[in-house]
């Protein structure tokens, strides 16, 4: 899951990003409304955390502009103003939820999880490919009746593959969606995690390899393994 956090206070942005990354999300940061719209237009996000008080373009305007382009992406507004009228304005601008500052990060993360569960992309509670299942509600993964334990990053990678099964995904697509826009870590991170995932998905010697390499492009998860 890839999240765009739009927050002009660097300390708060860093704390939110660190917490979300620990939860296994990929996170991009935008410090003003214009930068937020620029990143939204060139990247695929699953959710936007959007501060209202922003330089260059305020959060309510950003929210309205996003809704003109994409009516489905969940938007969580953050603001220092707790007046009910401000909440109404935010929701009327197209936001899905509203959280007043100061807030607890536990509540922020719980609201993000709830919005992602309610999003159109998450409507399929059980994702399948052959004898492999992923329950998006409980985050449980099974193959051939055997439970598979995944790290948060492995889970997000598998979730992305399953939501796009049968589609060849480039390494750039995977990197932007499962990691983040500014990722500057090891260059072979995708190959490394695909190797981890393949190993865990091979629950028996007869288990067919679901994740196939597309030479010169990336990877594809086969629609079935039969």
């Amino acid at each position: 899951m890839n999240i765009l956090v739009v927050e002009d206070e660097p300390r708060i942005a860093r704390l939110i990003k660190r917490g979300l990354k620990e939860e296994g999300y990929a996170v991009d940061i935008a410090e003003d409304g214009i930068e937020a719209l620029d990143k939204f237009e060139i990247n695929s996000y699953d959710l936007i955390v959007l501060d209202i008080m922003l330089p260059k373009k305020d959060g309510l305007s950003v929210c309205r502009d996003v809704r003109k382009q994409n009516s489905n992406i969940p938007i969580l507004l953050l603001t220092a103003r707790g007046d009910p009228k401000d909440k109404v304005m935010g929701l009327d601008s197209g936001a899905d939820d509203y959280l007043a500052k100061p807030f607890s990060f536990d509540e922020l993360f719980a609201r993000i999880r709830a919005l992602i569960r309610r999003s159109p992309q998450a409507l399929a509670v059980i994702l399948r490919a052959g004898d492999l299942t992923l329950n998006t509600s409980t985050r449980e993964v099974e193959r051939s009746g055997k439970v598979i334990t995944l790290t948060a990053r492995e889970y997000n990678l598998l979730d992305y593959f399953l939501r796009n099964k049968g589609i060849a995904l480039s390494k750039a697509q995977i990197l932007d969606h499962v990691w983040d826009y500014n990722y500057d870590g090891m260059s072979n991170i995708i190959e490394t995690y695909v190797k981890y995932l393949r190993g865990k998905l091979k629950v028996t010697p007869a288990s067919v390899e679901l994740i196939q390499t597309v030479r010169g492009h990336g990877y594809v998860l086969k629609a079935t393994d039969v």
Side-chain angles (χ1 to χ4, degrees):
M1 292 288 180
N2 199 3
I3 296 177
L4 175 62
V5 175
V6 190
E7 170 60 66
D8 65 324
E9 295 186 43
R11 185 183 66 85
I12 294 178
R14 286 195 303 270
L15 288 173
I16 294 175
K17 180 173 183 176
R18 184 174 65 189
L20 289 174
K21 285 175 73 70
E22 288 175 355
E23 292 284 314
Y25 298 106
V27 183
D28 286 343
I29 299 293
E31 297 181 353
D32 60 66
I34 299 299
E35 183 184 6
L37 290 174
D38 287 344
K39 287 190 173 180
F40 173 75
E41 289 176 359
I42 64 175
N43 296 294
S44 175
Y45 294 108
D46 299 286
L47 182 139
I48 299 176
V49 177
L50 178 62
D51 191 22
I52 289 181
M53 302 297 290
L54 293 170
K56 298 185 180 180
K57 195 177 187 76
D58 68 88
L60 296 182
S61 297
V62 171
C63 188
R64 286 190 288 265
D65 287 350
V66 167
R67 284 290 176 249
K68 291 176 184 177
Q69 302 178 56
N70 184 322
S71 62
N72 294 324
I73 187 169
I75 298 176
L76 172 61
L77 287 180
L78 302 178
T79 182
R81 302 180 302 192
D83 191 309
K85 291 182 180 179
D86 294 326
K87 182 175 182 179
V88 171
M89 287 178 59
L91 297 176
D92 284 346
S93 296
D96 298 280
D97 201 358
Y98 184 104
L99 188 59
K101 298 177 181 177
F103 53 81
S104 75
F105 284 97
D106 284 343
E107 181 179 6
L108 172 65
F109 301 152
R111 287 178 182 245
I112 287 172
R113 289 193 296 270
L115 287 175
I116 288 175
R117 284 197 301 270
R118 298 204 301 265
S119 70
Q121 296 94 327
L123 288 178
V125 174
I126 304 296
L127 303 177
R128 289 188 172 87
D131 60 352
L132 172 69
T133 62
L134 182 151
N135 187 316
T136 61
S137 179
T138 64
R139 297 174 69 90
E140 292 178 345
V141 178
E142 293 186 6
R143 189 173 189 191
S144 299
K146 297 183 179 181
V147 176
I148 301 171
T149 302
L150 301 177
T151 66
R153 189 73 69 188
E154 291 166 349
Y155 174 90
N156 288 339
L157 179 59
L158 180 59
D159 178 277
Y160 187 49
F161 275 130
L162 283 168
R163 292 183 189 278
N164 295 276
K165 65 182 179 181
I167 299 173
L169 300 171
S170 70
K171 292 181 181 179
Q173 286 175 301
I174 297 170
L175 192 63
D176 286 347
H177 195 91
V178 182
W179 278 265
D180 60 49
Y181 182 76
N182 294 312
Y183 179 78
D184 59 358
M186 51 194 265
S187 60
N188 63 336
I189 189 71
I190 297 174
E191 292 90 339
T192 298
Y193 271 85
V194 167
K195 180 179 179 180
Y196 292 158
L197 198 52
R198 282 171 168 166
K200 290 188 176 182
L201 294 182
K202 195 169 183 63
V203 295
T204 71
S207 295
V208 176
E209 191 71 75
L210 290 176
I211 303 172
Q212 301 290 327
T213 300
V214 180
R215 192 174 300 277
H217 183 73
Y219 300 94
V220 60
L221 184 116
K222 294 175 60 177
T224 64
D225 62 349
V226 297

